[in-house]
Amino acid sequence: MSPALQSDVLVIGGGLFGTFTGLFLARAGLRVTLLEKGQIGAQASATNFGNLRLHGRSARQYPLSIRAQELWENYGSLTGEDCEIDRTGHLYFAGGERGETQLRKDVETATRFGVESQLLEGALLRERFGFLSDRIRLAAFSPRSAVANPRLSTPPVARAMVRAGGTVIEGCEMAGFDVTSGGFAVTSTDGRRFEAPKLVNAAGAWSGALAEKAGEPVPMFSAGPPQFVTEPLPHRLHPSVHMVEGDVIVRQIPRGNIIFSGYPRTHSLPSGAFTHVPPAKTLRGMRELAQCIPMLARAEVIRVWSGVEGYLPDMLPVIGPSTTMPGLFHAFGGSGGGFQIAPAVGQCLAALVRGEASPVDISSYGIDRFTERSEVSEKIHLEFDQ
């Protein structure tokens, strides 16, 4: 048997949470090895909508989200590459009375954290964003929000990590891990062995199994949003557009194609291999889109897809140290909002791994908030099945 590969930190998972954590650790001079069972950035980090929105975040998440936006705005300096970041702004609109009430609350929360967000209604809304249906009475615009190409976002982070001295191993699925006198020993399904004093669990929708082995089960389930893209159309949709109720999330890329995402999510297969999008959900999304943005009623859909992402009952990720195993750290459960916060998750977790203070307080994201599977998680399951 070949000797174990020795590192200072082992990172399990090659999505944005894992690669950004690895990048910040490698830049701090630590020997980091990242293991990815498939290809870097091939799961939720690549198949999401690509929204870098500052609207609609919980008050608890805003400090992390704002820090992340600063890092996205410096993505080129961090990675030396580009992922088609476009500061389009984010148009957040309400589909009905309940949405209007929520939108006013969301704008108030955003403003409290220093996020510019302008409420628009009546003639001003029609003048600035006349593509919205006349039935839409209230919206808000956040100019700092942006979008990025999710398929291009993760590999540059991994390459930057390697240039900083880290190691990335693709096609390396973890079979299990053991606690040793020196920390942790991870064994791959093909028999390779990796050892390090610190272990980071950033395996996305598959992180729950590792957490459970550590004695920290979480009520996480795998799902993905139904998404589709249309034929290229004349460019008339400049901001990223998002319905408060979640039924419509849409943007137009520079080539003219319209990208759509929306609720309700679709559960992944029990194996976790992929998320099937039932045709009925695509048709529902097309109807909702046409009702909100009538000019897209005749747009032709050319492709449909989804991803596999981990969701937690409170729709917030787990970030921080294990409460049962010293040296183990968790970063998973993006719950539909992980893409935007990923750089800050990596920066904060890397600080904790190094034994330093996190630049943003992430104590409320600890895994200990899930002591047992709750009725709340079952409620979330039912809502996402509808």
Side-chain angles (χ1 to χ4, degrees):
M1 179 183 290
S2 301
L5 176 64
Q6 302 291 326
S7 306
D8 296 320
V9 184
L10 284 171
V11 178
I12 309 299
L16 280 172
F17 281 12
T19 53
F20 267 118
T21 301
L23 172 59
F24 284 110
L25 288 170
R27 289 180 61 170
L30 277 72
R31 294 175 303 156
V32 186
T33 299
L34 185 150
L35 308 180
E36 164 54 46
K37 70 182 181 70
Q39 294 179 310
I40 291 294
Q43 296 295 336
S45 293
T47 58
N48 68 85
F49 181 78
N51 221 349
L52 303 180
R53 61 177 172 84
L54 290 170
H55 267 147
R57 301 274 172 185
S58 71
R60 190 160 127 198
Q61 196 174 73
Y62 263 112
L64 192 68
S65 180
I66 291 169
R67 179 61 186 142
Q69 203 76 351
E70 294 170 357
L71 294 168
W72 279 113
E73 289 165 353
N74 288 284
Y75 182 91
S77 300
L78 279 171
T79 67
E81 299 184 51
D82 174 59
C83 64
E84 298 180 359
I85 294 174
D86 187 3
R87 192 166 170 172
T88 59
H90 183 260
L91 181 63
Y92 205 33
F93 73 92
E97 289 185 7
R98 290 180 62 185
E100 290 173 3
T101 300
Q102 185 61 49
L103 177 56
R104 292 184 188 279
K105 291 179 180 177
D106 287 346
V107 169
E108 181 181 342
T109 301
T111 303
R112 179 153 46 95
F113 285 92
V115 174
E116 182 182 352
S117 181
Q118 181 187 8
L119 273 174
L120 303 165
E121 53 189 323
L124 184 57
L125 176 59
R126 301 272 83 79
E127 178 184 344
R128 290 194 59 183
F129 301 108
F131 55 77
L132 288 176
S133 166
D134 289 341
R135 74 181 181 89
I136 307 301
R137 302 183 304 185
L138 185 69
F141 183 69
S142 165
R144 190 180 177 186
S145 296
V147 295
N149 188 331
R151 297 186 182 276
L152 301 181
S153 299
T154 312
V157 183
R159 288 191 285 267
M161 173 189 155
V162 171
R163 289 195 298 272
T167 299
V168 172
I169 304 176
E170 296 179 298
C172 185
E173 184 173 1
M174 187 183 78
F177 75 95
D178 296 300
V179 178
T180 68
S181 59
F184 299 89
V186 170
T187 304
S188 65
T189 53
D190 59 6
R192 287 176 285 179
R193 188 175 172 89
F194 307 87
E195 296 181 351
K198 306 285 180 67
L199 177 65
V200 174
N201 174 22
W206 295 266
S207 293
L210 196 158
E212 188 163 4
K213 183 168 182 182
E216 299 175 296
V218 292
M220 186 168 70
F221 66 95
S222 299
Q227 299 183 78
F228 61 74
V229 63
T230 74
E231 61 185 326
L233 298 167
H235 208 286
R236 295 179 59 191
L237 202 65
H238 298 289
S240 174
V241 183
H242 190 151
M243 187 179 187
V244 174
E245 294 86 346
D247 295 341
V248 172
I249 306 169
V250 64
R251 64 186 176 97
Q252 188 169 24
I253 63 175
R255 290 179 291 277
N257 306 79
I258 300 292
I259 297 176
F260 171 92
S261 180
Y263 293 93
R265 310 289 194 200
T266 300
H267 278 292
S268 305
L269 293 183
S271 65
F274 63 89
T275 302
H276 172 67
V277 181
K281 292 202 173 184
T282 300
L283 292 172
R284 181 182 186 276
M286 294 168 69
R287 287 193 297 270
E288 291 287 345
L289 180 59
Q291 289 174 11
C292 296
I293 306 177
M295 71 179 185
L296 299 179
R298 292 185 173 275
E300 297 283 344
V301 173
I302 60 175
R303 186 165 67 89
V304 175
W305 75 96
S306 188
V308 181
E309 184 168 3
Y311 286 82
L312 291 162
D314 58 4
M315 301 298 284
L316 294 171
V318 165
I319 316 166
S322 165
T323 59
T324 60
M325 289 187 176
L328 173 63
F329 297 82
H330 300 293
F332 64 83
S335 302
F339 183 74
Q340 191 272 338
I341 62 172
V345 171
Q347 186 182 51
C348 293
L349 195 66
L352 296 184
V353 172
R354 298 194 306 268
E356 301 174 3
S358 169
V360 175
D361 180 9
I362 57 171
S363 57
S364 64
Y365 294 94
I367 197 168
D368 56 353
R369 71 185 194 269
F370 301 114
T371 55
E372 60 184 17
R373 295 184 183 274
S374 65
E375 294 180 3
V376 176
S377 68
E378 296 304 321
K379 180 176 182 291
I380 295 290
H381 273 280
L382 292 171
E383 287 177 351
F384 275 69
D385 272 334
Q386 291 173 2

